[in-house]
Amino acid sequence: MMERKILVTGFEPFGGDVENPSGQLAARLDGARLHGRLVRGQNLPVAFGVAATELQRAIRRHHPEMVICLGLAAGRQVLSLERVALNLDDARIPDNQGQKPVDVPIRKTGATAYLSTLPIKAMYQKLVRAGWPVEVSTSAGTYVCNHVFYCLIHYLRRYPGPRGGFIHVPRPRPEFGLDAMEAALRAAIITAVRTKRDRRISAGREE
Ligand code: PCA
């Protein structure tokens, strides 16, 4: 029988940073066993187009039952469980290959938006109860992270089976460093695997 796998991706550094916690977390999780599943961690380039192609290649290679993409949201303080991917690229800064798309649809004939197929409410509830800083987010931005998230869900619609979604992580800080983020992500992934149907818990809020 084929081993059940979970693919976790992160990103290389970008925007002048020398590190990206999302890539560090994917590397830490590589090889972990969570709820009987083998985690495969992989880094993606911060480049429109190429990052999504590499993600698809990794999905075809590993045949994971779940795909969780991680990225850094430097302006946020908490883990953001992303709910929505938009069919739109609008870069604030060039990517690592110098591309800076502005107001370009990701897939000309794709839906305007896709929703995460992870049980994000159950994951949210689990992390809140464990005391981790977490939110349900309704915007993954319009840069490479949203691009990869959109392409992931678009791809998984044609490649049925795996569930997938995106989590933004903050910059590590003394009270919430890489060890703590890794522990929170492990709990979130285990909850995602165990939850076949998401809970109905309100995570709406005033912006
Ligand atoms: N964060 C960027 C792209 C890579 C990353 O880690 C983003 O939020 O789009």
Side-chain angles (χ1 to χ4, degrees):
M1 212 181 97
M2 231 170 55
E3 185 157 34
R4 291 179 294 184
K5 290 186 197 160
I6 297 172
L7 176 64
V8 176
T9 68
F11 282 101
E12 64 186 14
F14 69 105
D17 280 349
V18 292
E19 281 174 342
N20 187 328
S22 68
Q24 293 172 301
L25 288 160
R28 279 167 169 243
L29 288 165
D30 183 44
R33 274 185 197 282
L34 300 177
H35 204 66
R37 275 68 168 173
L38 174 65
V39 177
R40 293 278 65 151
Q42 179 161 333
N43 254 330
L44 299 175
V46 180
F48 289 97
V50 186
T53 308
E54 288 200 10
L55 174 63
Q56 282 184 22
R57 212 173 283 144
I59 294 171
R60 284 200 299 269
R61 182 164 64 239
H62 295 299
H63 298 289
E65 67 171 40
M66 182 173 288
V67 184
I68 300 185
C69 299
L70 307 173
L72 167 68
R76 297 190 192 172
Q77 304 297 315
V78 304
L79 293 175
S80 290
L81 307 176
E82 299 294 350
R83 192 203 290 257
V84 188
L86 276 186
N87 188 9
L88 180 68
D89 287 338
D90 187 0
R92 176 179 58 87
I93 51 171
D95 69 14
N96 287 354
Q97 296 187 351
Q99 309 172 89
K100 192 174 180 294
V102 172
D103 296 351
V104 180
I106 298 168
R107 290 280 180 276
K108 275 206 187 98
T109 55
T112 305
Y114 289 125
L115 297 178
S116 173
T117 53
L118 298 178
I120 52 172
K121 295 295 186 67
M123 295 160 79
Y124 172 72
Q125 186 178 56
K126 175 75 187 176
L127 296 192
V128 167
R129 286 185 176 162
W132 299 117
V134 61
E135 67 179 0
V136 170
S137 162
T138 48
S139 173
T142 53
Y143 194 51
V144 179
C145 288
N146 172 74
H147 182 97
V148 161
F149 182 19
Y150 184 89
C151 292
L152 169 68
I153 306 296
H154 187 76
Y155 183 63
L156 292 184
R157 288 162 67 88
R158 280 143 190 251
Y159 182 102
R163 293 184 285 167
F166 200 98
I167 303 177
H168 264 118
V169 305
R171 278 193 199 285
R173 56 183 189 272
E175 329 79 80
F176 196 42
L178 285 177
D179 287 346
M181 285 189 213
E182 183 188 340
L185 288 173
R186 283 172 176 258
I189 293 169
I190 291 169
T191 301
V193 173
R194 295 173 64 153
T195 308
K196 296 299 171 219
R197 189 188 290 192
D198 203 2
R199 315 243 159 83
R200 280 189 77 201
I201 311 154
S202 168
R205 62 199 152 111
E206 206 173 4
E207 295 290 343

